[in-house]
Amino acid sequence: MSEILEQTMAQYDEIADLYDAGNDRIGPFRRHVEEHTFWNIAGSVDGLTVFDVACGDGAYSRALAERGAKVVAMDQSAEMIRIAQQVEKEQELGIEYLVQDATELASVGQFDLVTAIYLLHYAPSEEALESMCRGLRANVKDGGRLITLAFNPEIDPARADMTKYGFRLKLPELEDGAECSIEVLLDPPFGFSFFYWSKDVHVRALENAGFKNVVWHNSICSPEGLAEYPAGFWDGYLHNPHAVFISCEV
């Protein structure tokens, strides 16, 4: 693992105890847009085997298990896994948690579905990005799928005001490998950095790893979110999201 990637991922050990508070701050966005879009893509997971890569504190891992999936989850941050395992002790959903570097990921098993929420944009180089994709591919069985959520390569920085959704982006000139950052608007705010990669680089990395039928998905808002907030509240995000779901097959 490169020193840059190690430093980038180590930031999650430092903010692990703030993560729940951060999730509360951006909860409406995650619930009504991010998670609603994810489940619209994933469909039923009842009875499926799922490998949740870059699981963080296990939020998606638990949601998958609650919907009937048999889940193995991993993250590079030992502190995030500690939090996830503590929740597992309380809820006993049968999730197995691992600490593992996603750029050095071997085959843990052969899964119907591999998920990687907010992973690929932590690759500091195209080589690291392709390594992540090869590791993901090694865990998808023939006929299986990958669903990943990555920073939007087509975002318009001039229209990227996300403050009303609970976070703020700091974007340089967007070129492959550019370092970006995001702040969750607590008091005081906390944040973390990541890297920009173009759409072509994403597709090349996924296809070189052995994935096919790469599809980019538009964000959608839940009916509950549309009803709960004023008309047009979500338009700024839906028309210029900071992250985009990608699905592909083996």
Side-chain angles (χ1 to χ4, degrees):
M1 177 175 57
S2 72
E3 182 178 351
I4 294 174
L5 180 59
E6 186 173 6
Q7 292 171 351
T8 301
M9 299 308 292
Q11 61 195 326
Y12 278 92
D13 283 338
E14 298 173 5
I15 67 170
D17 290 332
L18 293 172
Y19 208 69
D20 279 345
N23 280 335
D24 288 343
R25 177 67 179 89
I26 63 174
F29 154 74
R30 295 201 73 176
R31 181 170 62 256
H32 293 308
V33 178
E34 179 186 312
E35 294 173 11
H36 182 70
T37 304
F38 172 80
W39 291 113
N40 185 68
I41 299 165
S44 174
V45 297
D46 188 25
L48 298 186
T49 55
V50 179
F51 188 28
D52 186 20
V53 180
C55 67
D57 64 353
Y60 274 93
S61 309
R62 291 187 290 275
L64 288 158
E66 287 166 353
R67 288 164 172 78
K70 182 175 177 56
V71 181
V72 177
M74 59 141 283
D75 199 276
Q76 182 175 319
S77 169
E79 282 301 297
M80 286 295 190
I81 292 297
R82 176 187 62 79
I83 292 170
Q85 288 175 326
Q86 182 59 47
V87 178
E88 174 63 22
K89 289 179 182 178
E90 298 167 359
Q91 296 188 1
E92 296 185 354
L93 292 169
I95 302 169
E96 178 185 359
Y97 286 103
L98 309 172
V99 178
Q100 173 72 49
D101 175 6
T103 64
E104 299 176 356
L105 181 61
S107 178
V108 173
Q110 294 296 284
F111 296 86
D112 298 304
L113 173 65
V114 171
T115 57
I117 308 302
Y118 297 121
L119 169 66
L120 299 182
H121 50 255
Y122 290 116
S125 66
E126 288 191 49
E127 180 183 18
L129 181 64
E130 291 207 9
S131 181
M132 286 180 177
C133 291
R134 286 193 299 271
L136 296 172
R137 169 62 186 91
N139 287 279
V140 184
K141 74 178 188 180
D142 290 347
R145 289 191 298 162
L146 167 71
I147 299 175
T148 186
L149 179 60
F151 184 72
N152 178 12
E154 298 182 330
I155 192 169
D156 179 358
R159 298 188 297 116
D161 181 1
M162 305 294 173
T163 54
K164 69 179 178 180
Y165 309 118
F167 60 97
R168 179 186 296 117
L169 297 171
K170 294 184 178 180
L171 304 177
E173 182 176 348
L174 295 180
E175 58 184 13
D176 284 323
E179 187 170 356
C180 309
S181 65
I182 185 170
E183 285 186 331
V184 179
L185 299 178
L186 296 176
D187 187 17
F190 75 90
F192 35 89
S193 59
F194 57 94
F195 301 92
Y196 172 86
W197 297 106
S198 65
K199 195 170 186 177
D200 286 345
V201 169
H202 280 91
V203 173
R204 182 164 61 246
L206 289 163
E207 290 183 343
N208 285 348
F211 290 105
K212 61 185 179 182
N213 299 331
V214 178
V215 178
W216 298 74
H217 297 267
N218 292 328
S219 295
I220 56 177
C221 184
S222 70
E224 295 79 9
L226 293 174
E228 185 176 341
Y229 290 84
F233 177 84
W234 298 106
D235 289 355
Y237 188 86
L238 297 177
H239 295 156
N240 192 42
H242 85 296
V244 181
F245 277 102
I246 310 166
S247 67
C248 43
E249 302 170 351
V250 170

